[in-house]
Amino acid sequence: MFELALDPTTWALLCAVALAAGFIDAIAGGGGMLTVPALLTAGLPPHLTLGTNKLAASFGSLTASVTYFRKQLFNPRFWAASIFATAIGALLGTLIVDYLSIEFLNKLLPVVIIMVACYSLFGSLSTVEHNQLPPLNRATKIKQWLQGLSLGFFDGLAGPGAGTFWTASNSLLYKMSLLLNCGLARSMNFVSNFVSLITFIALGHVNFLLGITMGFFLMLGAWIGAHSAIRFGSKFIRPVFNTVVIILALKLIYEAYL
């Protein structure tokens, strides 16, 4: 069993990163692109990093999801297919992680993070303002299943940037406002985080003390971020999303190639 001994300064820095990640994740997604590199830098092995990050992220995504639900910006019945598909995908992705070597994960995670940042950078967000759901027909349900399975699988396999993928793909697949987009993205993020977390716990890849500590700060950041997004709307969400993606993309490209 891996034992982790962190000095108070490192622990405080991880909590500060978690606070910022929770705020960013509740608005634009991509909080894992801060917390995963921070945990790796602190000395956690890749498997333990992913599991501990899922524990912390579950606090933040639950807080954001509940906030959007209470404001009637997420309808569980309408998105039922997305919920089931995301849960199945997350379970499959997490189970596959356990069969990957530490060396492979060390090489995979930075590449995945850079790809997600670059993808989201060139994506476009919806310009629809009214909070009306798209029609629930056969085509919509097929989109829900395909999107849920693929993004749930990705979140279970790697994780960082999954929320950003949700935000970007929602704009491509559904005509709805950015607030409904955020409500769906954060809620599906919680589904995949929670299913993946349970699987990581069963596999023994979670540092509970660190994950819970960071989770409380993620929760606080998510609460602030979700309420800020709801209060200020698309004029706040859009620039935050684009700024976060640009900064992360430049940072990761610099670290990987320069």
Side-chain angles (χ1 to χ4, degrees):
M1 179 64 68
F2 177 83
E3 293 186 2
L4 180 69
L6 295 178
D7 62 87
T9 301
T10 302
W11 205 291
L13 287 173
L14 288 174
C15 290
V17 169
L19 180 66
F23 178 83
I24 291 169
D25 213 35
I27 301 169
M33 288 194 280
L34 294 180
T35 53
V36 169
L39 288 167
L40 289 171
T41 303
L44 272 74
H47 291 90
L48 194 61
T49 288
L50 293 175
T52 303
N53 182 64
K54 288 301 179 189
L55 175 56
S58 294
F59 282 80
S61 57
L62 174 60
T63 302
S65 177
V66 169
T67 301
Y68 284 110
F69 173 76
R70 287 179 173 174
K71 298 294 183 179
Q72 298 183 338
L73 295 170
F74 175 69
N75 185 333
R77 181 175 296 181
F78 183 91
W79 299 108
S82 296
I83 294 172
F84 287 116
T86 301
I88 293 171
L91 175 62
L92 295 176
T94 308
L95 289 174
I96 289 178
V97 166
D98 199 47
Y99 292 96
L100 301 178
S101 68
I102 291 178
E103 291 77 14
F104 180 79
L105 284 175
N106 275 325
K107 295 178 180 178
L108 173 66
L109 286 178
V111 174
V112 168
I113 294 171
I114 292 172
M115 288 177 61
V116 172
C118 291
Y119 170 86
S120 57
L121 174 61
F122 296 105
S124 60
L125 297 180
S126 174
T127 57
V128 176
E129 293 295 335
H130 58 81
N131 293 328
Q132 183 176 347
L133 290 168
L136 187 58
N137 50 34
R138 180 180 176 83
T140 300
K141 289 185 178 181
I142 291 174
K143 291 177 184 178
Q144 290 179 353
W145 274 100
L146 292 177
Q147 184 189 30
L149 284 172
S150 57
L151 294 184
F153 181 83
F154 171 76
D155 200 12
L157 180 66
T164 308
F165 261 140
W166 271 105
T167 304
S169 62
N170 286 343
S171 293
L172 178 65
L173 296 174
Y174 314 110
K175 290 185 177 180
M176 58 185 186
S177 70
L178 273 178
L179 283 176
L180 288 178
N181 182 334
C182 288
L184 173 61
R186 304 296 79 80
S187 299
M188 292 305 99
N189 232 174
F190 170 69
V191 171
S192 56
N193 279 337
F194 184 74
V195 172
S196 186
L197 170 62
I198 297 301
T199 311
F200 273 120
I201 290 174
L203 297 172
H205 298 320
V206 178
N207 184 298
F208 286 94
L209 181 59
L210 180 57
I212 292 173
T213 304
M214 292 180 66
F216 279 116
F217 283 89
L218 264 159
M219 189 186 309
L220 176 59
W223 185 88
I224 298 171
H227 279 83
S228 298
I230 292 169
R231 179 178 180 182
F232 299 109
S234 61
K235 64 181 180 180
F236 176 72
I237 298 171
R238 194 180 306 275
V240 170
F241 180 88
N242 291 331
T243 300
V244 167
V245 169
I246 291 171
I247 292 174
L248 288 174
L250 292 175
K251 172 181 177 293
L252 293 168
I253 292 172
Y254 175 81
E255 291 177 348
Y257 300 107
L258 300 177

